[in-house]
């Protein structure tokens, strides 16, 4: 009664631990997701947007500056236009003035010209004020007014015919007029020159600004591209490495690396989900492989069982039929046959159950050297009887492997026994443990110098129930079970053989970094 | 001698071929007229049986169960009849459920598609396009039916021992080929193959009885031993097994019943494997 | 003169030979049993047999090869195949190669006896033996 209870309790414990494991794993996934999402958000879109905004603002500033410069230049040109018009009028006036003094023509034309000039000034007063300033304008007004005044005086005198009165005065006035006129023109032209110079300066300055700005803009955009691009490329490279890692079978979840989260975080969460599903599917695949292997084994077992079953059927029927007619000895013989065949059937099924048993594979870091030495000891008897020499060599600092010691021992024992069976008396068996060609893997080679395996048998040796041993001497399950165990450990068994020379069975297993 | 199962993508052509062949080699022809006998035996109507063989799956659940039942009747009756030997069987979907019997020759005939189209155009006075559409629809509904009824596709070549294109060979030559094939010793009945057929027949009888109470199960027989795979919960296992055994008692030939309650029924190929290993 | 039918049984299972010999001798035949195909074949060279019962899966020489050999040697000889690995493909192959019948293991003694009776009839020398219905179920 007690035994049954503990058995039950044990079962409960096992199932609870596996439930716990599942809960722990689920919790881990949820925690990672929480961690990934708990960082402050700084989305790529935001960063890109900012970058572009910055560039745009800068370009906008430059545009504004250019527009301002153009506006100024436009103003100056306008100013020059007006002054030019003014100068033309004054020139005209002066010509009329000269004509008057030379040919005694009318001054009214001159006055008209002056009037036009003044009109130009007046009608563009506002603009002129902004362009050349009040002071200068005032100066020009004074100039032209003075000139106008003088001309009017002279014109008045001409009209009044009082020219003889003061020839000297007339001469003075004439000089004054001329001087005034010259000054007027000079002033205006000076003004023009200044304005032109100022405009040229503005243009030059604008050109400079634009050039510098362009260069600066280029630098800014390059920096932004470099920064953002670098950021994104960095992330993409990181995810590239994740993908490679997953492809190699590393189902560790992606954990937070940066201080912020962005669109790549969503990608990480999606990939984590994918990893979980992959793991689940792989587990299912392994399970279905196993089930398929079991299925194959079961079919093989069913056929294998037909013989003992047939023996029992025939014997028991004949026993029934001839019971009265045969003697005690024979009857006993038949009954013994029946029980023996029943035993045989039991063994066949037991061998299958061995393989299919849902035994928890206990994985732990193992030292290959120790494991091999122990296994070779197990085969000690066979070795002695067969008169074969076994030599074991291992590379230095061989990595450990993650595995179930009992199961792996079964594998290696099977290979060693096979090698012994294949070798003749006085033969040699070499067992080598070293790093495999595949990185992060170790290989154990069992090498015999026996008869070798002919090509037409090679692809059958791992089949369940295939054996070349004499009847009753082998179950034929050794290699197929071994292969199953090795596959469960993430490795494989490879065979090389030459008829007459011998065979090499290589067991390749992944190394572990766990100490 | 061998029994021959005829399956064709054009039912009319298949029936013609079967009748022709039966006459030539003096075998009995088992076709849909057999449904009358089946209806009498299982106390149902010919219409329902015919419907079960043809009706494309409708979405009503009610018909589903009835269809399963009627197909089971046809199956059991046909298998039993096949034990009599020298049968040409057509139109009873036998190619789906007679498997693993070495003396049954399974033949698939491919019709002359073009000829069918033309015939249809003439008969119904319709365009080529319309004729094609009708034929395509027929093909599709056949497929849907076979998927629903037997989880199989009649055009799957692996079901058959030979596939003949009537378009290429013509009816006469095809008949000749089948006759020759049937002569081969390969297709002679033997103790083993007769036993296989007997096993199928026995399993189908139990199948009918179990349908009255259960669904989602498969039955395999081996001599007097019967294995039932049924979908269900492990908790109910003892109860289910008990009920099944009681029902099985009604068939005197059954000696031992093994019940497996599974979460997923074995697939067709898995079942075949189990059958050959028992 | 009543010539007894000569039956050869070949099976690497000792018990099959042990049990089938008396079972078939009872029917009025002479039975010789062999465990090794080679021995059986050499015996077949020496003496003609009417009926040969052979297993298929044996070491070294396949039962199918024995079947072929026997049929080649003597078309009259009836070969009955018994095997624990019955499959449609194997059955058809055996029939094609001339087997008279193909029986899957496990089988009851009466099952093979009924086939032997059929074979005797085929050979034109029917046996006088009655199968008891009890043993056939």
């Amino acid at each position: 009664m007690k035994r049954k209870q503990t058995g039950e309790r044990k079962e409960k414990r096992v199932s609870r631990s596996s439930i716990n494991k599942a809960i722990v794993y689920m919790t881990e996934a949820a925690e990672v997701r929480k961690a990934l999402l708990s960082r402050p958000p700084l989305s790529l879109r935001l960063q890109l947007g900012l970058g572009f905004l910055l560039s745009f603002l800068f370009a906008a500033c430059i545009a504004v500056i250019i527009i301002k410069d153009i506006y100024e230049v436009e103003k100056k040109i306008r100013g020059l236009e007006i002054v030019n018009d003014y100068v033309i009028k004054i020139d005209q006036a002066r010509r009329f003035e000269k004509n008057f003094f030379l040919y005694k023509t009318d001054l009214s034309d001159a006055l008209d010209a002056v009037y036009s000039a003044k009109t130009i000034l007046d009608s563009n007063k506002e603009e002129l004020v902004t362009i050349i300033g009040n002071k200068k304008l005032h100066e020009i007004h004074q100039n032209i007014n003075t000139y106008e005044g003088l001309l009017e005086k002279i014109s008045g005198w001409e009209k009044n015919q009082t020219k003889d009165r003061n020839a000297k005065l007339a001469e003075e006035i004439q000089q004054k007029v001329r001087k005034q006129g010259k000054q007027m023109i000079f002033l205006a032209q000076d003004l023009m020159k200044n304005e032109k110079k100022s405009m040229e300066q503005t243009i030059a300055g604008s050109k400079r600004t634009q050039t510098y700005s362009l260069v600066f803009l280029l630098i800014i955009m390059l920096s932004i591209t470099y920064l953002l691009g670098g950021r994104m490329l960095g992330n993409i490279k990181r995810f590239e490495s994740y993908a490679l890692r997953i492809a190699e079978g590393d189902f560790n979840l992606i954990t937070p690396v940066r201080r912020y989260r962005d669109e790549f975080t969503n990608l990480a969460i999606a990939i984590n989900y994918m990893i979980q599903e992959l793991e689940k599917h792989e587990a299912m695949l392994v399970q279905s492989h196993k089930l398929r292997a079991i299925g194959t084994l079961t079919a093989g077992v069913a056929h294998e069982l037909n013989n003992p079953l047939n023996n029992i059927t025939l014997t028991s029927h004949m026993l029934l039929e001839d019971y009265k007619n045969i003697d005690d000895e024979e009857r006993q013989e038949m009954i013994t046959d029946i029980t023996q065949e029943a035993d045989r059937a039991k063994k066949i099924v037991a061998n299958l159950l061995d393989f299919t048993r849902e035994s928890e594979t206990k994985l732990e870091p193992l030292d290959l050297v120790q494991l091999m030495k122990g296994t070779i000891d197990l085969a000690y008897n066979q070795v002695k009887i067969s008169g074969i020499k076994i030599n074991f060599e291992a590379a230095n600092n061989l990595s450990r492997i993650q595995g179930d010691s009992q199961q792996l021992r079964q594998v290696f024992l099977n290979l060693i026994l096979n090698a012994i069976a294949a070798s003749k008396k006085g033969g040699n068996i070499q067992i080598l443990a070293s790093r495999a060609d595949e990185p992060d893997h170790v290989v154990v080679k069992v090498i015999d110098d026996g008869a070798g395996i002919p090509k037409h048998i090679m692809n059958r040796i791992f089949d369940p129930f295939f054996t070349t041993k004499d009847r009753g001497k082998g179950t034929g399950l050794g290699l197929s079970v071994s292969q199953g165990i090795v596959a469960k450990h993430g490795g494989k068994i490879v065979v090389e053989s030459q008829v007459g020379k011998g065979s090499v069975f290589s067991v390749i297993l992944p190394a572990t970094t766990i100490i | 001698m061998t029994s021959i199962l005829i399956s064709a993508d054009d039912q009319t052509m298949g029936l013609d071929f079967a009748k022709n062949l039966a006459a030539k080699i003096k075998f009995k022809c088992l076709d849909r007229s057999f449904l009358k006998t089946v209806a009498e035996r299982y106390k149902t109507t010919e219409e329902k049986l015919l419907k079960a063989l043809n009706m494309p799956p409708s979405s009503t659940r009610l018909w589903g169960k009835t269809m399963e039942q009627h197909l089971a009747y046809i199956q059991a009756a046909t298998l039993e009849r096949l034990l009599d030997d020298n049968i040409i069987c057509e139109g009873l979907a036998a190619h789906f459920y007679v498997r693993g019997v070495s003396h049954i020759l399974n033949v698939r005939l491919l019709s002359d598609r073009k000829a069918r189209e033309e015939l249809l155009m003439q008969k119904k006075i319709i365009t080529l396009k319309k004729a094609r559409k009708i034929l395509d629809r027929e093909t599709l509904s056949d497929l849907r039916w076979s998927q629903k009824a037997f989880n199989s596709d009649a055009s799957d070549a692996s079901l058959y021992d030979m596939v003949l294109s009537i378009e290429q060979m013509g009816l006469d030559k095809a008949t000749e080929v089948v006759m020759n094939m049937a002569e081969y010793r390969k297709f002679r009945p033997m103790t083993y193959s007769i036993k296989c057929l007997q096993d199928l027949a026995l399993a189908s009888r139990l199948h009918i009885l179990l349908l009255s109470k259960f669904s989602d199960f498969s039955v395999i027989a081996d001599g007097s031993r019967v294995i039932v795979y049924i979908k269900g919960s492990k908790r109910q296992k003892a109860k289910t097994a008990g009920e099944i055994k009681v029902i099985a008692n009604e068939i005197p030939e059954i000696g031992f019943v093994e019940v497996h309650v599974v979460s997923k029924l074995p697939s067709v190929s898995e079942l075949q494997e189990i059958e050959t290993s028992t | 003169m009543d010539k007894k039918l000569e039956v050869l049984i070949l099976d690497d299972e000792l018990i099959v030979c042990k049990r089938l010999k008396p079972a078939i001798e009872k029917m009025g035949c002479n039975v010789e049993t062999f465990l090794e195909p080679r021995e059986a074949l050499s015996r077949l060279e020496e003496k003609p047999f009417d009926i040969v019962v052979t297993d298929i899966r044996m070491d070294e020489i396949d039962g199918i090869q024995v079947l072929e050999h026997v049929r080649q040697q003597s078309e009259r000889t009836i070969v009955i195949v018994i095997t624990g690995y019955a499959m449609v493909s194997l059955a058809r192959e055996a029939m094609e190669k001339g087997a008279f019948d193909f029986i899957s293991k496990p089988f009851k003694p009466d099952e093979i006896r009924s086939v032997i009776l059929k074979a005797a009839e085929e050979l034109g020398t029917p046996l006088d033996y009655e199968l008891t219905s009890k043993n056939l179920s």
Side-chain angles (χ1 to χ4, degrees), chain A residues 365-375 392 394 398-402 408 412 432-435 441-444 507-511:
Chain A
L366 301 170
D367 178 358
L368 255 184
V369 176
Q370 262 184 1
L371 183 75
M372 293 312 297
K373 283 200 180 142
T375 313
F392 176 53
L398 200 59
S399 317
R400 286 167 158 251
I401 52 169
Q402 189 83 343
L408 285 176
F412 292 120
L432 305 171
S434 63
R435 260 171 284 279
H441 281 72
V442 294
V443 60
V444 176
V507 178
I508 302 169
L509 292 163

mmCIF file of all heavy atoms in Angstrom, chain A residues 365-375 392 394 398-402 408 412 432-435 441-444 507-511:
data_model
loop_
_atom_site.group_PDB
_atom_site.id
_atom_site.type_symbol
_atom_site.label_atom_id
_atom_site.label_comp_id
_atom_site.label_asym_id
_atom_site.label_seq_id
_atom_site.Cartn_x
_atom_site.Cartn_y
_atom_site.Cartn_z
ATOM 1 N N PRO A 365 26.596 17.987 -17.298
ATOM 2 C CA PRO A 365 27.912 18.087 -17.955
ATOM 3 C C PRO A 365 28.749 16.845 -17.621
ATOM 4 O O PRO A 365 28.850 16.462 -16.475
ATOM 5 C CB PRO A 365 28.517 19.361 -17.374
ATOM 6 C CG PRO A 365 27.692 19.722 -16.210
ATOM 7 C CD PRO A 365 26.376 19.071 -16.323
ATOM 8 N N LEU A 366 29.290 16.228 -18.672
ATOM 9 C CA LEU A 366 30.058 15.007 -18.485
ATOM 10 C C LEU A 366 31.467 15.155 -19.019
ATOM 11 O O LEU A 366 31.695 15.857 -20.008
ATOM 12 C CB LEU A 366 29.397 13.835 -19.216
ATOM 13 C CG LEU A 366 27.972 13.472 -18.824
ATOM 14 C CD1 LEU A 366 27.424 12.460 -19.814
ATOM 15 C CD2 LEU A 366 27.944 12.870 -17.433
ATOM 16 N N ASP A 367 32.370 14.476 -18.358
ATOM 17 C CA ASP A 367 33.741 14.425 -18.836
ATOM 18 C C ASP A 367 33.864 13.194 -19.720
ATOM 19 O O ASP A 367 33.750 12.062 -19.249
ATOM 20 C CB ASP A 367 34.685 14.334 -17.628
ATOM 21 C CG ASP A 367 36.134 14.228 -18.050
ATOM 22 O OD1 ASP A 367 36.403 14.195 -19.281
ATOM 23 O OD2 ASP A 367 37.013 14.180 -17.186
ATOM 24 N N LEU A 368 34.078 13.420 -21.003
ATOM 25 C CA LEU A 368 34.132 12.315 -21.951
ATOM 26 C C LEU A 368 35.181 11.273 -21.572
ATOM 27 O O LEU A 368 34.932 10.069 -21.683
ATOM 28 C CB LEU A 368 34.459 12.858 -23.349
ATOM 29 C CG LEU A 368 33.299 12.914 -24.345
ATOM 30 C CD1 LEU A 368 33.815 13.379 -25.686
ATOM 31 C CD2 LEU A 368 32.662 11.556 -24.486
ATOM 32 N N VAL A 369 36.326 11.760 -21.155
ATOM 33 C CA VAL A 369 37.429 10.837 -20.859
ATOM 34 C C VAL A 369 37.010 9.847 -19.782
ATOM 35 O O VAL A 369 37.182 8.638 -19.930
ATOM 36 C CB VAL A 369 38.687 11.617 -20.433
ATOM 37 C CG1 VAL A 369 39.785 10.648 -20.042
ATOM 38 C CG2 VAL A 369 39.147 12.516 -21.546
ATOM 39 N N GLN A 370 36.435 10.380 -18.732
ATOM 40 C CA GLN A 370 35.986 9.522 -17.642
ATOM 41 C C GLN A 370 34.933 8.538 -18.120
ATOM 42 O O GLN A 370 34.971 7.350 -17.814
ATOM 43 C CB GLN A 370 35.379 10.379 -16.529
ATOM 44 C CG GLN A 370 36.339 10.650 -15.398
ATOM 45 C CD GLN A 370 35.665 11.415 -14.277
ATOM 46 O OE1 GLN A 370 34.481 11.728 -14.344
ATOM 47 N NE2 GLN A 370 36.401 11.690 -13.232
ATOM 48 N N LEU A 371 33.975 9.079 -18.889
ATOM 49 C CA LEU A 371 32.887 8.261 -19.389
ATOM 50 C C LEU A 371 33.424 7.094 -20.215
ATOM 51 O O LEU A 371 33.034 5.930 -20.043
ATOM 52 C CB LEU A 371 31.944 9.114 -20.242
ATOM 53 C CG LEU A 371 30.707 8.408 -20.781
ATOM 54 C CD1 LEU A 371 29.719 8.214 -19.669
ATOM 55 C CD2 LEU A 371 30.063 9.218 -21.885
ATOM 56 N N MET A 372 34.343 7.409 -21.130
ATOM 57 C CA MET A 372 34.894 6.380 -22.009
ATOM 58 C C MET A 372 35.663 5.343 -21.204
ATOM 59 O O MET A 372 35.532 4.137 -21.414
ATOM 60 C CB MET A 372 35.807 6.996 -23.068
ATOM 61 C CG MET A 372 35.076 7.867 -24.072
ATOM 62 S SD MET A 372 33.627 7.078 -24.742
ATOM 63 C CE MET A 372 34.350 5.691 -25.572
ATOM 64 N N LYS A 373 36.465 5.830 -20.270
ATOM 65 C CA LYS A 373 37.259 4.890 -19.478
ATOM 66 C C LYS A 373 36.338 3.932 -18.743
ATOM 67 O O LYS A 373 36.553 2.718 -18.705
ATOM 68 C CB LYS A 373 38.146 5.641 -18.480
ATOM 69 C CG LYS A 373 39.370 6.269 -19.109
ATOM 70 C CD LYS A 373 40.450 6.561 -18.077
ATOM 71 C CE LYS A 373 41.662 7.193 -18.766
ATOM 72 N NZ LYS A 373 42.266 8.221 -17.938
ATOM 73 N N GLY A 374 35.272 4.478 -18.138
ATOM 74 C CA GLY A 374 34.322 3.650 -17.421
ATOM 75 C C GLY A 374 33.664 2.622 -18.330
ATOM 76 O O GLY A 374 33.496 1.454 -17.978
ATOM 77 N N THR A 375 33.320 3.064 -19.524
ATOM 78 C CA THR A 375 32.656 2.150 -20.465
ATOM 79 C C THR A 375 33.599 1.036 -20.883
ATOM 80 O O THR A 375 33.186 -0.125 -20.996
ATOM 81 C CB THR A 375 32.191 2.925 -21.707
ATOM 82 O OG1 THR A 375 31.522 4.117 -21.303
ATOM 83 C CG2 THR A 375 31.237 2.085 -22.536
ATOM 84 N N PHE A 392 42.958 3.529 -25.796
ATOM 85 C CA PHE A 392 42.146 4.735 -25.682
ATOM 86 C C PHE A 392 43.036 5.977 -25.631
ATOM 87 O O PHE A 392 43.963 6.054 -24.851
ATOM 88 C CB PHE A 392 41.264 4.670 -24.431
ATOM 89 C CG PHE A 392 40.475 5.914 -24.185
ATOM 90 C CD1 PHE A 392 39.671 6.441 -25.180
ATOM 91 C CD2 PHE A 392 40.523 6.578 -22.972
ATOM 92 C CE1 PHE A 392 38.930 7.594 -24.969
ATOM 93 C CE2 PHE A 392 39.788 7.721 -22.746
ATOM 94 C CZ PHE A 392 38.988 8.242 -23.742
ATOM 95 N N ALA A 394 42.833 10.392 -25.746
ATOM 96 C CA ALA A 394 41.964 11.565 -25.745
ATOM 97 C C ALA A 394 42.796 12.820 -25.906
ATOM 98 O O ALA A 394 43.910 12.902 -25.390
ATOM 99 C CB ALA A 394 41.161 11.622 -24.452
ATOM 100 N N LEU A 398 39.831 18.518 -23.531
ATOM 101 C CA LEU A 398 38.648 18.258 -24.349
ATOM 102 C C LEU A 398 37.427 18.864 -23.659
ATOM 103 O O LEU A 398 37.264 18.727 -22.449
ATOM 104 C CB LEU A 398 38.486 16.745 -24.505
ATOM 105 C CG LEU A 398 37.635 16.287 -25.677
ATOM 106 C CD1 LEU A 398 38.197 16.790 -26.980
ATOM 107 C CD2 LEU A 398 37.578 14.766 -25.687
ATOM 108 N N SER A 399 36.563 19.524 -24.451
ATOM 109 C CA SER A 399 35.388 20.136 -23.847
ATOM 110 C C SER A 399 34.482 19.071 -23.264
ATOM 111 O O SER A 399 34.477 17.930 -23.715
ATOM 112 C CB SER A 399 34.583 20.901 -24.902
ATOM 113 O OG SER A 399 35.432 21.635 -25.726
ATOM 114 N N ARG A 400 33.718 19.483 -22.301
ATOM 115 C CA ARG A 400 32.745 18.567 -21.744
ATOM 116 C C ARG A 400 31.530 18.497 -22.660
ATOM 117 O O ARG A 400 31.354 19.325 -23.536
ATOM 118 C CB ARG A 400 32.284 19.072 -20.374
ATOM 119 C CG ARG A 400 33.332 18.854 -19.332
ATOM 120 C CD ARG A 400 33.021 19.628 -18.057
ATOM 121 N NE ARG A 400 33.738 19.009 -16.945
ATOM 122 C CZ ARG A 400 33.139 18.317 -15.991
ATOM 123 N NH1 ARG A 400 31.839 18.193 -15.988
ATOM 124 N NH2 ARG A 400 33.841 17.754 -15.028
ATOM 125 N N ILE A 401 30.720 17.472 -22.420
ATOM 126 C CA ILE A 401 29.473 17.398 -23.179
ATOM 127 C C ILE A 401 28.304 17.348 -22.211
ATOM 128 O O ILE A 401 28.463 16.963 -21.061
ATOM 129 C CB ILE A 401 29.418 16.136 -24.077
ATOM 130 C CG1 ILE A 401 29.710 14.886 -23.234
ATOM 131 C CG2 ILE A 401 30.375 16.238 -25.225
ATOM 132 C CD1 ILE A 401 29.428 13.620 -23.964
ATOM 133 N N GLN A 402 27.162 17.760 -22.726
ATOM 134 C CA GLN A 402 25.948 17.743 -21.926
ATOM 135 C C GLN A 402 25.209 16.459 -22.264
ATOM 136 O O GLN A 402 24.800 16.260 -23.399
ATOM 137 C CB GLN A 402 25.100 18.957 -22.293
ATOM 138 C CG GLN A 402 23.908 19.180 -21.393
ATOM 139 C CD GLN A 402 24.251 19.926 -20.112
ATOM 140 O OE1 GLN A 402 25.428 20.007 -19.742
ATOM 141 N NE2 GLN A 402 23.262 20.468 -19.452
ATOM 142 N N LEU A 408 24.536 7.386 -22.652
ATOM 143 C CA LEU A 408 25.725 7.478 -23.508
ATOM 144 C C LEU A 408 26.612 6.276 -23.296
ATOM 145 O O LEU A 408 27.243 5.767 -24.232
ATOM 146 C CB LEU A 408 26.475 8.780 -23.226
ATOM 147 C CG LEU A 408 25.786 10.015 -23.809
ATOM 148 C CD1 LEU A 408 26.542 11.274 -23.393
ATOM 149 C CD2 LEU A 408 25.732 9.933 -25.321
ATOM 150 N N PHE A 412 28.166 3.797 -26.235
ATOM 151 C CA PHE A 412 29.569 3.453 -26.466
ATOM 152 C C PHE A 412 29.836 1.981 -26.224
ATOM 153 O O PHE A 412 30.651 1.350 -26.909
ATOM 154 C CB PHE A 412 30.479 4.330 -25.609
ATOM 155 C CG PHE A 412 30.459 5.772 -26.056
ATOM 156 C CD1 PHE A 412 30.058 6.775 -25.197
ATOM 157 C CD2 PHE A 412 30.833 6.114 -27.342
ATOM 158 C CE1 PHE A 412 30.023 8.094 -25.618
ATOM 159 C CE2 PHE A 412 30.800 7.423 -27.779
ATOM 160 C CZ PHE A 412 30.396 8.419 -26.902
ATOM 161 N N LEU A 432 39.305 6.938 -29.970
ATOM 162 C CA LEU A 432 39.886 8.276 -29.928
ATOM 163 C C LEU A 432 38.815 9.299 -29.589
ATOM 164 O O LEU A 432 37.738 9.283 -30.166
ATOM 165 C CB LEU A 432 40.488 8.631 -31.300
ATOM 166 C CG LEU A 432 41.511 7.651 -31.852
ATOM 167 C CD1 LEU A 432 41.852 8.014 -33.286
ATOM 168 C CD2 LEU A 432 42.776 7.663 -31.010
ATOM 169 N N ALA A 433 39.166 10.170 -28.661
ATOM 170 C CA ALA A 433 38.251 11.265 -28.330
ATOM 171 C C ALA A 433 38.962 12.584 -28.628
ATOM 172 O O ALA A 433 40.059 12.820 -28.128
ATOM 173 C CB ALA A 433 37.846 11.207 -26.865
ATOM 174 N N SER A 434 38.341 13.406 -29.464
ATOM 175 C CA SER A 434 39.005 14.667 -29.814
ATOM 176 C C SER A 434 37.967 15.698 -30.241
ATOM 177 O O SER A 434 36.774 15.421 -30.279
ATOM 178 C CB SER A 434 39.983 14.428 -30.964
ATOM 179 O OG SER A 434 39.253 14.008 -32.108
ATOM 180 N N ARG A 435 38.475 16.884 -30.599
ATOM 181 C CA ARG A 435 37.594 17.916 -31.125
ATOM 182 C C ARG A 435 37.165 17.507 -32.526
ATOM 183 O O ARG A 435 37.955 16.957 -33.287
ATOM 184 C CB ARG A 435 38.323 19.260 -31.218
ATOM 185 C CG ARG A 435 38.022 20.205 -30.076
ATOM 186 C CD ARG A 435 38.963 21.412 -30.144
ATOM 187 N NE ARG A 435 40.301 21.060 -29.674
ATOM 188 C CZ ARG A 435 40.622 20.998 -28.383
ATOM 189 N NH1 ARG A 435 39.729 21.249 -27.483
ATOM 190 N NH2 ARG A 435 41.852 20.655 -28.018
ATOM 191 N N HIS A 441 32.073 20.958 -31.295
ATOM 192 C CA HIS A 441 31.640 19.570 -31.189
ATOM 193 C C HIS A 441 32.832 18.685 -30.861
ATOM 194 O O HIS A 441 33.963 19.020 -31.194
ATOM 195 C CB HIS A 441 31.016 19.083 -32.500
ATOM 196 C CG HIS A 441 29.599 19.541 -32.678
ATOM 197 N ND1 HIS A 441 29.286 20.852 -32.953
ATOM 198 C CD2 HIS A 441 28.430 18.875 -32.618
ATOM 199 C CE1 HIS A 441 27.972 20.959 -33.055
ATOM 200 N NE2 HIS A 441 27.428 19.784 -32.850
ATOM 201 N N VAL A 442 32.521 17.579 -30.193
ATOM 202 C CA VAL A 442 33.588 16.613 -29.945
ATOM 203 C C VAL A 442 33.220 15.319 -30.651
ATOM 204 O O VAL A 442 32.043 15.079 -30.948
ATOM 205 C CB VAL A 442 33.792 16.349 -28.441
ATOM 206 C CG1 VAL A 442 34.288 17.600 -27.755
ATOM 207 C CG2 VAL A 442 32.516 15.855 -27.810
ATOM 208 N N VAL A 443 34.229 14.500 -30.918
ATOM 209 C CA VAL A 443 33.955 13.245 -31.610
ATOM 210 C C VAL A 443 34.682 12.116 -30.896
ATOM 211 O O VAL A 443 35.813 12.275 -30.433
ATOM 212 C CB VAL A 443 34.383 13.328 -33.090
ATOM 213 C CG1 VAL A 443 35.875 13.611 -33.209
ATOM 214 C CG2 VAL A 443 34.045 12.047 -33.822
ATOM 215 N N VAL A 444 33.960 10.987 -30.769
ATOM 216 C CA VAL A 444 34.576 9.782 -30.246
ATOM 217 C C VAL A 444 34.559 8.756 -31.360
ATOM 218 O O VAL A 444 33.501 8.434 -31.898
ATOM 219 C CB VAL A 444 33.799 9.230 -29.029
ATOM 220 C CG1 VAL A 444 34.423 7.928 -28.581
ATOM 221 C CG2 VAL A 444 33.801 10.236 -27.896
ATOM 222 N N VAL A 507 31.098 9.046 -33.218
ATOM 223 C CA VAL A 507 29.963 9.655 -32.525
ATOM 224 C C VAL A 507 30.293 11.125 -32.304
ATOM 225 O O VAL A 507 31.222 11.466 -31.592
ATOM 226 C CB VAL A 507 29.708 8.975 -31.163
ATOM 227 C CG1 VAL A 507 28.572 9.654 -30.443
ATOM 228 C CG2 VAL A 507 29.426 7.500 -31.357
ATOM 229 N N ILE A 508 29.526 11.990 -32.962
ATOM 230 C CA ILE A 508 29.777 13.427 -32.854
ATOM 231 C C ILE A 508 28.742 14.025 -31.914
ATOM 232 O O ILE A 508 27.538 13.847 -32.095
ATOM 233 C CB ILE A 508 29.683 14.082 -34.242
ATOM 234 C CG1 ILE A 508 30.704 13.419 -35.171
ATOM 235 C CG2 ILE A 508 29.943 15.573 -34.149
ATOM 236 C CD1 ILE A 508 30.535 13.786 -36.623
ATOM 237 N N LEU A 509 29.244 14.731 -30.900
ATOM 238 C CA LEU A 509 28.336 15.313 -29.911
ATOM 239 C C LEU A 509 28.657 16.790 -29.698
ATOM 240 O O LEU A 509 29.822 17.185 -29.773
ATOM 241 C CB LEU A 509 28.453 14.576 -28.577
ATOM 242 C CG LEU A 509 27.940 13.139 -28.551
ATOM 243 C CD1 LEU A 509 28.491 12.424 -27.330
ATOM 244 C CD2 LEU A 509 26.426 13.129 -28.539
ATOM 245 N N PRO A 510 27.642 17.599 -29.443
ATOM 246 C CA PRO A 510 27.933 19.020 -29.197
ATOM 247 C C PRO A 510 28.591 19.211 -27.845
ATOM 248 O O PRO A 510 28.244 18.547 -26.872
ATOM 249 C CB PRO A 510 26.549 19.677 -29.233
ATOM 250 C CG PRO A 510 25.581 18.591 -28.980
ATOM 251 C CD PRO A 510 26.200 17.307 -29.418
ATOM 252 N N ALA A 511 29.566 20.133 -27.811
ATOM 253 C CA ALA A 511 30.265 20.415 -26.558
ATOM 254 C C ALA A 511 29.461 21.418 -25.748
ATOM 255 O O ALA A 511 28.598 22.123 -26.269
ATOM 256 C CB ALA A 511 31.651 20.970 -26.861
#
